[in-house]
Amino acid sequence: MSVAPATIRAVGRTPRISLTTLAVSSLVLVTTALALVFFVAPNDANQGFSQRIFYFHVSIAITAYACFAGGAWNAFRHLWKRDPRADLQSYVCVHQGLIFGTLVLLTGSIWAKISWGRWWLWSSDQLVLFLVLFLFYCAYFMLRYSVDPGPQRANLSAVYALFGVVLIPVSFAAIRLAKDIIHPVVFTLHGPNFGGWILVTYCVAQVAMLVLAYTLYRLELSGKRLDSRVRELKEVLA
Amino acid sequence: MTYFRDVGALARKDLLLELRARDTLPAMLLFVAAVFVVFHFALPGTPSRLETTGLLWVAILFTALLGLGRAFVPEREQRTLDGLVLAPCDRSAIWLAKSLATLAFLAAAEVVALPLYALFFHRVSGAMVLAVVLADLGICAVGTFLGAMAVATRARDLLLPLLFLPLAIPIVVGAVGASVITPPGRYLGFLALYDLLFAVVCWASFEYVVSE
């Protein structure tokens, strides 16, 4: 009874978009988003030109949340279903999340400097939350690289990644409770100033960031898998 | 009910060990007193009640870290953790028992620390005591869990503060809020919610920390 390995792989794999297609579409989307942000979206009445960073700041923040959620979901899959691929997927998700989280801190900081004249504002919920998450997920990396590769490392990383998704809403509530001044809300989803080109630009920027994150995720994942394959082969040859 | 008997037996073991060896609790007591003295010199002039409340919580958090760091280290050093994991009881019982033992040490340290705070700085309100009780539950539940994670790594207890402090920020927010704002109900409720949420997560996932 011999089944061709190719058949098994074909059954086990869901059809996926190729990396090249993803790379091209993220390039197109990011370029479109940049063009829309700089040339099409109208100037904000209160904040003027500088408000345009908001399109990227918000969409990057949501992308980072999506990455952290993906990391936790894969961690859950690792613990629950014992899916052998889930550990690496969870790690790569968290890694992308940390990169996008750092970008949130950077863009938020630039925005705070232009709008309020200071590089850091404790009154901005989103920034403080991302600082807490930044510290939390940096500790994730410290944890992961302090354990030898193996089932224990996978378990510890997965459990800590799951703590992350519990921490996000709890920290958000805590920061809301902690602050005494209300952060000016420039742009609410229901406000009259949200519509037309603003909405279109925001949506394009959001999709662009999500596709970019997914492309980077796939790229890193395939790199890491190749890496471990090469290591396995070397061990076999040695 | 065997679950609670197991928890009781495991917690009693830790308390008995501490009673005989006496290495964690005296260290915590001395540490918290020393921290208060350092803070007195670190804050020039007469610090306000707001400032000293913040300081009290920093002191409590760091004292707790000192105790939490010790919780699983002897188990690793003497290789008794494997024995505990092999014991015919639910793995989460190990976490619960350790948390209870650490809670007992932390509470004992605070029984000294709070009067000392009142003596050195400002009086302690009832809401503050309630906040201490609720915060202790969260600190011990999460801290013990992370302590077990940290001893499984090469860095050992060096890693514990890094893992723990980001998770302790909501506790600090709730505790400081309850200590300085009247009425403290919202903050106490938040602390209770935190305790409940994280206790459930720790209880459910502890098995994966100690087994492979």
Side-chain angles (χ1 to χ4, degrees), chain A residues 79 82 132 136 139 142-143 145-148 152 155-156 159-160 163 166-167 170 173-174 177-178, chain B residues 145 149 152-155 159 162-163 167 170 173 186-187 190 194 197-198 201-202 208-209 211-212:
Chain A
L79 294 177
R82 293 273 152 203
V132 173
F136 179 86
M142 295 282 291
L143 175 74
Y145 286 110
S146 182
V147 187
D148 294 322
Q152 184 159 41
N155 278 351
L156 292 182
V159 170
Y160 203 65
F163 266 62
V166 184
L167 183 69
V170 170
L177 277 174
Chain B
F145 188 92
M149 278 172 107
T153 65
R154 275 192 302 273
L159 208 54
L162 300 177
L163 298 177
L167 282 162
V173 170
R186 234 156 45 110
Y187 294 91
F190 177 72
Y194 179 96
L197 201 61
F198 274 96
V201 175
C202 292
Y208 300 108
V209 173
S211 59
E212 292 199 348

mmCIF file of all heavy atoms in Angstrom, chain A residues 79 82 132 136 139 142-143 145-148 152 155-156 159-160 163 166-167 170 173-174 177-178, chain B residues 145 149 152-155 159 162-163 167 170 173 186-187 190 194 197-198 201-202 208-209 211-212:
data_model
loop_
_atom_site.group_PDB
_atom_site.id
_atom_site.type_symbol
_atom_site.label_atom_id
_atom_site.label_comp_id
_atom_site.label_asym_id
_atom_site.label_seq_id
_atom_site.Cartn_x
_atom_site.Cartn_y
_atom_site.Cartn_z
ATOM 1 N N LEU A 79 -2.527 24.105 21.752
ATOM 2 C CA LEU A 79 -2.828 23.464 23.026
ATOM 3 C C LEU A 79 -3.990 22.486 22.897
ATOM 4 O O LEU A 79 -4.007 21.442 23.534
ATOM 5 C CB LEU A 79 -3.160 24.515 24.084
ATOM 6 C CG LEU A 79 -2.021 25.440 24.492
ATOM 7 C CD1 LEU A 79 -2.509 26.466 25.486
ATOM 8 C CD2 LEU A 79 -0.870 24.655 25.092
ATOM 9 N N ARG A 82 -3.261 20.116 19.249
ATOM 10 C CA ARG A 82 -1.896 19.612 19.083
ATOM 11 C C ARG A 82 -1.465 19.654 17.619
ATOM 12 O O ARG A 82 -0.833 18.713 17.126
ATOM 13 C CB ARG A 82 -1.783 18.181 19.621
ATOM 14 C CG ARG A 82 -1.947 18.106 21.112
ATOM 15 C CD ARG A 82 -0.631 18.332 21.771
ATOM 16 N NE ARG A 82 -0.825 18.911 23.096
ATOM 17 C CZ ARG A 82 0.087 19.601 23.737
ATOM 18 N NH1 ARG A 82 1.257 19.799 23.193
ATOM 19 N NH2 ARG A 82 -0.134 20.103 24.909
ATOM 20 N N VAL A 132 1.995 48.987 26.898
ATOM 21 C CA VAL A 132 1.854 47.812 27.770
ATOM 22 C C VAL A 132 2.001 46.534 26.948
ATOM 23 O O VAL A 132 2.729 45.613 27.323
ATOM 24 C CB VAL A 132 0.489 47.837 28.496
ATOM 25 C CG1 VAL A 132 0.269 46.540 29.264
ATOM 26 C CG2 VAL A 132 0.405 49.023 29.432
ATOM 27 N N PHE A 136 4.695 43.527 27.117
ATOM 28 C CA PHE A 136 4.216 42.157 27.289
ATOM 29 C C PHE A 136 4.786 41.231 26.211
ATOM 30 O O PHE A 136 5.314 40.164 26.508
ATOM 31 C CB PHE A 136 2.685 42.140 27.245
ATOM 32 C CG PHE A 136 2.100 40.774 27.397
ATOM 33 C CD1 PHE A 136 1.868 40.242 28.652
ATOM 34 C CD2 PHE A 136 1.789 40.010 26.287
ATOM 35 C CE1 PHE A 136 1.340 38.977 28.799
ATOM 36 C CE2 PHE A 136 1.253 38.747 26.429
ATOM 37 C CZ PHE A 136 1.033 38.230 27.685
ATOM 38 N N ALA A 139 8.428 40.468 26.425
ATOM 39 C CA ALA A 139 8.665 39.410 27.404
ATOM 40 C C ALA A 139 8.383 38.043 26.783
ATOM 41 O O ALA A 139 9.042 37.060 27.115
ATOM 42 C CB ALA A 139 7.808 39.625 28.642
ATOM 43 N N MET A 142 11.508 37.065 25.158
ATOM 44 C CA MET A 142 12.492 36.672 26.172
ATOM 45 C C MET A 142 12.201 35.245 26.642
ATOM 46 O O MET A 142 13.101 34.428 26.801
ATOM 47 C CB MET A 142 12.418 37.598 27.390
ATOM 48 C CG MET A 142 12.803 39.025 27.130
ATOM 49 S SD MET A 142 14.563 39.234 27.059
ATOM 50 C CE MET A 142 15.012 38.941 28.740
ATOM 51 N N LEU A 143 10.917 34.986 26.872
ATOM 52 C CA LEU A 143 10.502 33.653 27.338
ATOM 53 C C LEU A 143 10.840 32.595 26.307
ATOM 54 O O LEU A 143 11.454 31.576 26.599
ATOM 55 C CB LEU A 143 8.998 33.666 27.619
ATOM 56 C CG LEU A 143 8.367 32.332 27.999
ATOM 57 C CD1 LEU A 143 8.758 31.963 29.410
ATOM 58 C CD2 LEU A 143 6.858 32.404 27.902
ATOM 59 N N TYR A 145 12.933 32.564 23.820
ATOM 60 C CA TYR A 145 14.344 32.308 23.542
ATOM 61 C C TYR A 145 15.113 31.875 24.774
ATOM 62 O O TYR A 145 16.314 31.713 24.718
ATOM 63 C CB TYR A 145 14.979 33.514 22.857
ATOM 64 C CG TYR A 145 14.499 33.563 21.436
ATOM 65 C CD1 TYR A 145 13.623 34.542 20.998
ATOM 66 C CD2 TYR A 145 14.859 32.547 20.567
ATOM 67 C CE1 TYR A 145 13.129 34.525 19.712
ATOM 68 C CE2 TYR A 145 14.368 32.522 19.276
ATOM 69 C CZ TYR A 145 13.513 33.511 18.857
ATOM 70 O OH TYR A 145 13.027 33.464 17.591
ATOM 71 N N SER A 146 14.409 31.687 25.875
ATOM 72 C CA SER A 146 15.084 31.221 27.073
ATOM 73 C C SER A 146 14.781 29.741 27.337
ATOM 74 O O SER A 146 15.187 29.194 28.345
ATOM 75 C CB SER A 146 14.645 32.093 28.244
ATOM 76 O OG SER A 146 15.278 31.719 29.401
ATOM 77 N N VAL A 147 14.032 29.139 26.421
ATOM 78 C CA VAL A 147 13.713 27.711 26.544
ATOM 79 C C VAL A 147 14.215 27.009 25.279
ATOM 80 O O VAL A 147 14.122 27.573 24.194
ATOM 81 C CB VAL A 147 12.185 27.499 26.670
ATOM 82 C CG1 VAL A 147 11.867 26.052 26.969
ATOM 83 C CG2 VAL A 147 11.599 28.393 27.736
ATOM 84 N N ASP A 148 14.754 25.806 25.457
ATOM 85 C CA ASP A 148 15.229 25.066 24.286
ATOM 86 C C ASP A 148 14.054 24.661 23.407
ATOM 87 O O ASP A 148 12.978 24.366 23.918
ATOM 88 C CB ASP A 148 15.991 23.814 24.740
ATOM 89 C CG ASP A 148 17.265 24.185 25.464
ATOM 90 O OD1 ASP A 148 17.904 25.157 25.038
ATOM 91 O OD2 ASP A 148 17.614 23.520 26.453
ATOM 92 N N GLN A 152 8.052 21.762 25.306
ATOM 93 C CA GLN A 152 7.850 22.668 26.434
ATOM 94 C C GLN A 152 7.863 24.131 25.987
ATOM 95 O O GLN A 152 7.054 24.943 26.439
ATOM 96 C CB GLN A 152 8.915 22.445 27.498
ATOM 97 C CG GLN A 152 8.624 23.325 28.712
ATOM 98 C CD GLN A 152 9.291 22.844 29.957
ATOM 99 O OE1 GLN A 152 10.430 22.423 29.922
ATOM 100 N NE2 GLN A 152 8.589 22.909 31.064
ATOM 101 N N ASN A 155 4.585 24.888 24.445
ATOM 102 C CA ASN A 155 3.523 25.042 25.439
ATOM 103 C C ASN A 155 3.598 26.375 26.154
ATOM 104 O O ASN A 155 2.598 27.082 26.296
ATOM 105 C CB ASN A 155 3.629 23.936 26.496
ATOM 106 C CG ASN A 155 3.000 22.655 26.033
ATOM 107 O OD1 ASN A 155 2.342 22.626 25.005
ATOM 108 N ND2 ASN A 155 3.203 21.595 26.783
ATOM 109 N N LEU A 156 4.810 26.721 26.637
ATOM 110 C CA LEU A 156 4.950 27.960 27.411
ATOM 111 C C LEU A 156 4.604 29.166 26.541
ATOM 112 O O LEU A 156 3.889 30.072 26.972
ATOM 113 C CB LEU A 156 6.379 28.092 27.949
ATOM 114 C CG LEU A 156 6.804 27.093 29.020
ATOM 115 C CD1 LEU A 156 8.217 27.388 29.481
ATOM 116 C CD2 LEU A 156 5.875 27.121 30.214
ATOM 117 N N VAL A 159 0.799 29.363 26.021
ATOM 118 C CA VAL A 159 0.059 29.833 27.193
ATOM 119 C C VAL A 159 0.240 31.340 27.363
ATOM 120 O O VAL A 159 -0.721 32.073 27.617
ATOM 121 C CB VAL A 159 0.524 29.065 28.455
ATOM 122 C CG1 VAL A 159 -0.034 29.703 29.699
ATOM 123 C CG2 VAL A 159 0.087 27.617 28.391
ATOM 124 N N TYR A 160 1.471 31.806 27.158
ATOM 125 C CA TYR A 160 1.713 33.245 27.335
ATOM 126 C C TYR A 160 0.992 34.055 26.254
ATOM 127 O O TYR A 160 0.457 35.121 26.526
ATOM 128 C CB TYR A 160 3.222 33.517 27.327
ATOM 129 C CG TYR A 160 3.596 34.804 28.018
ATOM 130 C CD1 TYR A 160 3.394 34.968 29.379
ATOM 131 C CD2 TYR A 160 4.150 35.872 27.313
ATOM 132 C CE1 TYR A 160 3.718 36.142 30.022
ATOM 133 C CE2 TYR A 160 4.493 37.049 27.950
ATOM 134 C CZ TYR A 160 4.280 37.179 29.306
ATOM 135 O OH TYR A 160 4.603 38.351 29.932
ATOM 136 N N PHE A 163 -2.490 34.482 27.289
ATOM 137 C CA PHE A 163 -2.610 35.534 28.304
ATOM 138 C C PHE A 163 -2.731 36.898 27.629
ATOM 139 O O PHE A 163 -3.424 37.774 28.125
ATOM 140 C CB PHE A 163 -1.375 35.533 29.213
ATOM 141 C CG PHE A 163 -1.533 34.725 30.457
ATOM 142 C CD1 PHE A 163 -1.762 33.367 30.377
ATOM 143 C CD2 PHE A 163 -1.459 35.301 31.708
ATOM 144 C CE1 PHE A 163 -1.917 32.614 31.529
ATOM 145 C CE2 PHE A 163 -1.623 34.553 32.857
ATOM 146 C CZ PHE A 163 -1.847 33.204 32.762
ATOM 147 N N VAL A 166 -6.189 37.979 26.765
ATOM 148 C CA VAL A 166 -6.973 38.349 27.954
ATOM 149 C C VAL A 166 -6.513 39.728 28.433
ATOM 150 O O VAL A 166 -7.307 40.555 28.870
ATOM 151 C CB VAL A 166 -6.809 37.294 29.074
ATOM 152 C CG1 VAL A 166 -7.686 37.632 30.266
ATOM 153 C CG2 VAL A 166 -7.156 35.916 28.556
ATOM 154 N N LEU A 167 -5.197 39.945 28.311
ATOM 155 C CA LEU A 167 -4.638 41.206 28.802
ATOM 156 C C LEU A 167 -5.127 42.415 27.998
ATOM 157 O O LEU A 167 -5.315 43.496 28.565
ATOM 158 C CB LEU A 167 -3.108 41.135 28.764
ATOM 159 C CG LEU A 167 -2.383 42.353 29.319
ATOM 160 C CD1 LEU A 167 -2.574 42.440 30.816
ATOM 161 C CD2 LEU A 167 -0.903 42.311 29.007
ATOM 162 N N VAL A 170 -8.478 43.733 29.272
ATOM 163 C CA VAL A 170 -8.328 44.107 30.681
ATOM 164 C C VAL A 170 -7.498 45.384 30.802
ATOM 165 O O VAL A 170 -7.849 46.314 31.535
ATOM 166 C CB VAL A 170 -7.684 42.945 31.483
ATOM 167 C CG1 VAL A 170 -7.301 43.387 32.867
ATOM 168 C CG2 VAL A 170 -8.641 41.778 31.565
ATOM 169 N N ALA A 173 -9.493 48.406 29.655
ATOM 170 C CA ALA A 173 -10.403 48.873 30.704
ATOM 171 C C ALA A 173 -9.619 49.592 31.796
ATOM 172 O O ALA A 173 -10.040 50.643 32.297
ATOM 173 C CB ALA A 173 -11.168 47.691 31.288
ATOM 174 N N ALA A 174 -8.442 49.047 32.144
ATOM 175 C CA ALA A 174 -7.641 49.639 33.206
ATOM 176 C C ALA A 174 -7.183 51.041 32.832
ATOM 177 O O ALA A 174 -7.236 51.968 33.640
ATOM 178 C CB ALA A 174 -6.427 48.755 33.488
ATOM 179 N N LEU A 177 -9.925 53.417 33.091
ATOM 180 C CA LEU A 177 -10.195 53.745 34.489
ATOM 181 C C LEU A 177 -9.145 54.697 35.037
ATOM 182 O O LEU A 177 -9.435 55.537 35.889
ATOM 183 C CB LEU A 177 -10.171 52.466 35.339
ATOM 184 C CG LEU A 177 -11.428 51.615 35.396
ATOM 185 C CD1 LEU A 177 -11.139 50.340 36.164
ATOM 186 C CD2 LEU A 177 -12.555 52.369 36.055
ATOM 187 N N ALA A 178 -7.910 54.541 34.545
ATOM 188 C CA ALA A 178 -6.799 55.273 35.150
ATOM 189 C C ALA A 178 -6.754 56.734 34.755
ATOM 190 O O ALA A 178 -6.230 57.571 35.460
ATOM 191 C CB ALA A 178 -5.484 54.602 34.781
ATOM 192 N N PHE B 145 1.655 31.449 38.723
ATOM 193 C CA PHE B 145 1.597 30.819 37.403
ATOM 194 C C PHE B 145 2.841 31.172 36.588
ATOM 195 O O PHE B 145 3.514 30.305 36.030
ATOM 196 C CB PHE B 145 0.337 31.320 36.689
ATOM 197 C CG PHE B 145 0.060 30.626 35.407
ATOM 198 C CD1 PHE B 145 -0.754 29.516 35.367
ATOM 199 C CD2 PHE B 145 0.605 31.086 34.223
ATOM 200 C CE1 PHE B 145 -1.022 28.870 34.186
ATOM 201 C CE2 PHE B 145 0.349 30.447 33.037
ATOM 202 C CZ PHE B 145 -0.461 29.338 33.015
ATOM 203 N N MET B 149 6.289 29.192 35.082
ATOM 204 C CA MET B 149 6.808 29.302 33.718
ATOM 205 C C MET B 149 8.273 29.691 33.743
ATOM 206 O O MET B 149 9.095 29.149 32.999
ATOM 207 C CB MET B 149 6.036 30.377 32.953
ATOM 208 C CG MET B 149 4.737 29.909 32.388
ATOM 209 S SD MET B 149 3.859 31.320 31.729
ATOM 210 C CE MET B 149 4.038 31.048 30.032
ATOM 211 N N ALA B 152 10.992 27.141 34.370
ATOM 212 C CA ALA B 152 11.213 26.168 33.301
ATOM 213 C C ALA B 152 12.198 26.686 32.270
ATOM 214 O O ALA B 152 12.598 25.958 31.372
ATOM 215 C CB ALA B 152 9.889 25.828 32.624
ATOM 216 N N THR B 153 12.592 27.944 32.372
ATOM 217 C CA THR B 153 13.482 28.530 31.372
ATOM 218 C C THR B 153 14.930 28.534 31.870
ATOM 219 O O THR B 153 15.183 28.283 33.046
ATOM 220 C CB THR B 153 13.082 29.986 31.075
ATOM 221 O OG1 THR B 153 13.298 30.745 32.265
ATOM 222 C CG2 THR B 153 11.628 30.076 30.681
ATOM 223 N N ARG B 154 15.839 28.865 30.954
ATOM 224 C CA ARG B 154 17.241 28.958 31.354
ATOM 225 C C ARG B 154 17.476 30.154 32.262
ATOM 226 O O ARG B 154 18.322 30.126 33.140
ATOM 227 C CB ARG B 154 18.126 29.107 30.114
ATOM 228 C CG ARG B 154 18.486 27.815 29.472
ATOM 229 C CD ARG B 154 19.576 28.046 28.457
ATOM 230 N NE ARG B 154 19.167 29.020 27.439
ATOM 231 C CZ ARG B 154 18.513 28.698 26.333
ATOM 232 N NH1 ARG B 154 18.221 27.455 26.102
ATOM 233 N NH2 ARG B 154 18.167 29.616 25.460
ATOM 234 N N ALA B 155 16.708 31.224 32.025
ATOM 235 C CA ALA B 155 16.955 32.454 32.778
ATOM 236 C C ALA B 155 16.448 32.356 34.217
ATOM 237 O O ALA B 155 16.752 33.204 35.041
ATOM 238 C CB ALA B 155 16.293 33.627 32.076
ATOM 239 N N LEU B 159 13.536 36.011 34.730
ATOM 240 C CA LEU B 159 12.495 36.293 33.763
ATOM 241 C C LEU B 159 11.179 36.719 34.417
ATOM 242 O O LEU B 159 10.372 37.421 33.803
ATOM 243 C CB LEU B 159 12.269 35.022 32.928
ATOM 244 C CG LEU B 159 11.771 35.178 31.516
ATOM 245 C CD1 LEU B 159 12.657 36.101 30.729
ATOM 246 C CD2 LEU B 159 11.719 33.815 30.849
ATOM 247 N N LEU B 162 9.915 40.353 34.301
ATOM 248 C CA LEU B 162 9.597 40.773 32.931
ATOM 249 C C LEU B 162 8.256 40.228 32.488
ATOM 250 O O LEU B 162 7.471 40.889 31.813
ATOM 251 C CB LEU B 162 10.671 40.272 31.960
ATOM 252 C CG LEU B 162 12.074 40.771 32.224
ATOM 253 C CD1 LEU B 162 13.028 40.147 31.232
ATOM 254 C CD2 LEU B 162 12.106 42.269 32.106
ATOM 255 N N LEU B 163 7.982 38.975 32.865
ATOM 256 C CA LEU B 163 6.709 38.365 32.484
ATOM 257 C C LEU B 163 5.561 38.960 33.292
ATOM 258 O O LEU B 163 4.455 39.140 32.804
ATOM 259 C CB LEU B 163 6.745 36.851 32.726
ATOM 260 C CG LEU B 163 7.749 36.016 31.951
ATOM 261 C CD1 LEU B 163 7.680 34.568 32.397
ATOM 262 C CD2 LEU B 163 7.467 36.095 30.463
ATOM 263 N N LEU B 167 1.565 42.286 33.128
ATOM 264 C CA LEU B 167 0.271 41.740 33.544
ATOM 265 C C LEU B 167 -0.208 42.356 34.855
ATOM 266 O O LEU B 167 -1.391 42.290 35.176
ATOM 267 C CB LEU B 167 0.378 40.219 33.706
ATOM 268 C CG LEU B 167 0.343 39.430 32.406
ATOM 269 C CD1 LEU B 167 0.872 38.032 32.608
ATOM 270 C CD2 LEU B 167 -1.079 39.364 31.881
ATOM 271 N N PRO B 170 -2.767 46.323 35.236
ATOM 272 C CA PRO B 170 -4.177 46.515 35.611
ATOM 273 C C PRO B 170 -4.416 46.404 37.121
ATOM 274 O O PRO B 170 -5.263 47.127 37.663
ATOM 275 C CB PRO B 170 -4.894 45.390 34.870
ATOM 276 C CG PRO B 170 -4.016 45.060 33.728
ATOM 277 C CD PRO B 170 -2.624 45.269 34.212
ATOM 278 N N VAL B 173 -3.499 49.704 38.603
ATOM 279 C CA VAL B 173 -4.517 50.715 38.299
ATOM 280 C C VAL B 173 -5.707 50.574 39.246
ATOM 281 O O VAL B 173 -6.143 51.548 39.873
ATOM 282 C CB VAL B 173 -4.993 50.579 36.833
ATOM 283 C CG1 VAL B 173 -6.213 51.444 36.586
ATOM 284 C CG2 VAL B 173 -3.879 50.942 35.881
ATOM 285 N N ARG B 186 -16.012 51.113 41.836
ATOM 286 C CA ARG B 186 -15.678 50.739 40.469
ATOM 287 C C ARG B 186 -14.326 50.029 40.389
ATOM 288 O O ARG B 186 -14.157 49.035 39.703
ATOM 289 C CB ARG B 186 -15.618 52.000 39.617
ATOM 290 C CG ARG B 186 -16.494 51.942 38.387
ATOM 291 C CD ARG B 186 -16.861 53.315 37.897
ATOM 292 N NE ARG B 186 -15.757 54.234 37.851
ATOM 293 C CZ ARG B 186 -15.212 54.691 36.707
ATOM 294 N NH1 ARG B 186 -15.653 54.247 35.561
ATOM 295 N NH2 ARG B 186 -14.262 55.578 36.738
ATOM 296 N N TYR B 187 -13.365 50.582 41.155
ATOM 297 C CA TYR B 187 -12.007 50.031 41.106
ATOM 298 C C TYR B 187 -11.938 48.670 41.796
ATOM 299 O O TYR B 187 -11.254 47.756 41.323
ATOM 300 C CB TYR B 187 -11.027 51.017 41.737
ATOM 301 C CG TYR B 187 -10.911 52.274 40.929
ATOM 302 C CD1 TYR B 187 -11.731 53.366 41.179
ATOM 303 C CD2 TYR B 187 -10.012 52.351 39.879
ATOM 304 C CE1 TYR B 187 -11.652 54.512 40.408
ATOM 305 C CE2 TYR B 187 -9.917 53.485 39.101
ATOM 306 C CZ TYR B 187 -10.742 54.568 39.365
ATOM 307 O OH TYR B 187 -10.661 55.683 38.603
ATOM 308 N N PHE B 190 -13.370 46.219 39.502
ATOM 309 C CA PHE B 190 -12.409 45.905 38.441
ATOM 310 C C PHE B 190 -11.374 44.887 38.927
ATOM 311 O O PHE B 190 -11.046 43.927 38.229
ATOM 312 C CB PHE B 190 -11.725 47.188 37.970
ATOM 313 C CG PHE B 190 -10.675 46.943 36.934
ATOM 314 C CD1 PHE B 190 -11.029 46.582 35.648
ATOM 315 C CD2 PHE B 190 -9.330 47.047 37.249
ATOM 316 C CE1 PHE B 190 -10.064 46.339 34.687
ATOM 317 C CE2 PHE B 190 -8.358 46.804 36.295
ATOM 318 C CZ PHE B 190 -8.731 46.455 35.015
ATOM 319 N N TYR B 194 -10.688 41.186 37.486
ATOM 320 C CA TYR B 194 -9.343 40.760 37.067
ATOM 321 C C TYR B 194 -8.995 39.429 37.728
ATOM 322 O O TYR B 194 -8.538 38.494 37.080
ATOM 323 C CB TYR B 194 -8.332 41.839 37.461
ATOM 324 C CG TYR B 194 -6.900 41.506 37.115
ATOM 325 C CD1 TYR B 194 -6.322 41.974 35.944
ATOM 326 C CD2 TYR B 194 -6.112 40.717 37.951
ATOM 327 C CE1 TYR B 194 -5.016 41.662 35.613
ATOM 328 C CE2 TYR B 194 -4.811 40.393 37.633
ATOM 329 C CZ TYR B 194 -4.259 40.873 36.460
ATOM 330 O OH TYR B 194 -2.960 40.564 36.146
ATOM 331 N N LEU B 197 -11.084 36.537 36.239
ATOM 332 C CA LEU B 197 -10.711 36.243 34.857
ATOM 333 C C LEU B 197 -9.382 35.488 34.795
ATOM 334 O O LEU B 197 -9.267 34.422 34.182
ATOM 335 C CB LEU B 197 -10.605 37.566 34.103
ATOM 336 C CG LEU B 197 -10.712 37.529 32.607
ATOM 337 C CD1 LEU B 197 -12.055 36.968 32.220
ATOM 338 C CD2 LEU B 197 -10.569 38.944 32.051
ATOM 339 N N PHE B 198 -8.374 36.043 35.478
ATOM 340 C CA PHE B 198 -7.056 35.434 35.373
ATOM 341 C C PHE B 198 -6.960 34.144 36.168
ATOM 342 O O PHE B 198 -6.210 33.240 35.794
ATOM 343 C CB PHE B 198 -5.967 36.430 35.760
ATOM 344 C CG PHE B 198 -5.549 37.275 34.600
ATOM 345 C CD1 PHE B 198 -6.092 38.537 34.408
ATOM 346 C CD2 PHE B 198 -4.650 36.796 33.672
ATOM 347 C CE1 PHE B 198 -5.736 39.301 33.311
ATOM 348 C CE2 PHE B 198 -4.284 37.556 32.576
ATOM 349 C CZ PHE B 198 -4.825 38.806 32.403
ATOM 350 N N VAL B 201 -8.206 31.542 33.808
ATOM 351 C CA VAL B 201 -7.222 31.254 32.745
ATOM 352 C C VAL B 201 -6.058 30.438 33.302
ATOM 353 O O VAL B 201 -5.627 29.449 32.698
ATOM 354 C CB VAL B 201 -6.711 32.571 32.110
ATOM 355 C CG1 VAL B 201 -5.616 32.274 31.104
ATOM 356 C CG2 VAL B 201 -7.844 33.297 31.438
ATOM 357 N N CYS B 202 -5.556 30.830 34.473
ATOM 358 C CA CYS B 202 -4.422 30.116 35.072
ATOM 359 C C CYS B 202 -4.822 28.697 35.422
ATOM 360 O O CYS B 202 -4.090 27.738 35.153
ATOM 361 C CB CYS B 202 -3.956 30.815 36.344
ATOM 362 S SG CYS B 202 -3.208 32.403 36.069
ATOM 363 N N TYR B 208 -0.433 22.777 31.059
ATOM 364 C CA TYR B 208 0.506 22.873 29.934
ATOM 365 C C TYR B 208 1.849 23.435 30.347
ATOM 366 O O TYR B 208 2.826 23.303 29.637
ATOM 367 C CB TYR B 208 -0.088 23.750 28.831
ATOM 368 C CG TYR B 208 -1.377 23.198 28.317
ATOM 369 C CD1 TYR B 208 -2.596 23.812 28.619
ATOM 370 C CD2 TYR B 208 -1.396 22.046 27.545
ATOM 371 C CE1 TYR B 208 -3.790 23.291 28.163
ATOM 372 C CE2 TYR B 208 -2.579 21.525 27.084
ATOM 373 C CZ TYR B 208 -3.774 22.149 27.392
ATOM 374 O OH TYR B 208 -4.941 21.621 26.953
ATOM 375 N N VAL B 209 1.881 24.115 31.503
ATOM 376 C CA VAL B 209 3.146 24.703 31.944
ATOM 377 C C VAL B 209 4.056 23.655 32.543
ATOM 378 O O VAL B 209 5.260 23.671 32.328
ATOM 379 C CB VAL B 209 2.866 25.836 32.970
ATOM 380 C CG1 VAL B 209 4.142 26.347 33.561
ATOM 381 C CG2 VAL B 209 2.108 26.956 32.308
ATOM 382 N N SER B 211 3.644 20.184 32.200
ATOM 383 C CA SER B 211 3.820 18.932 31.460
ATOM 384 C C SER B 211 4.258 19.237 30.041
ATOM 385 O O SER B 211 4.129 20.353 29.571
ATOM 386 C CB SER B 211 2.498 18.168 31.430
ATOM 387 O OG SER B 211 1.508 18.945 30.819
ATOM 388 N N GLU B 212 4.771 18.219 29.375
ATOM 389 C CA GLU B 212 5.264 18.450 28.013
ATOM 390 C C GLU B 212 4.310 17.895 26.980
ATOM 391 O O GLU B 212 3.648 16.915 27.218
ATOM 392 C CB GLU B 212 6.633 17.803 27.846
ATOM 393 C CG GLU B 212 7.651 18.542 28.686
ATOM 394 C CD GLU B 212 9.072 18.261 28.241
ATOM 395 O OE1 GLU B 212 9.295 17.334 27.442
ATOM 396 O OE2 GLU B 212 9.962 18.984 28.694
#
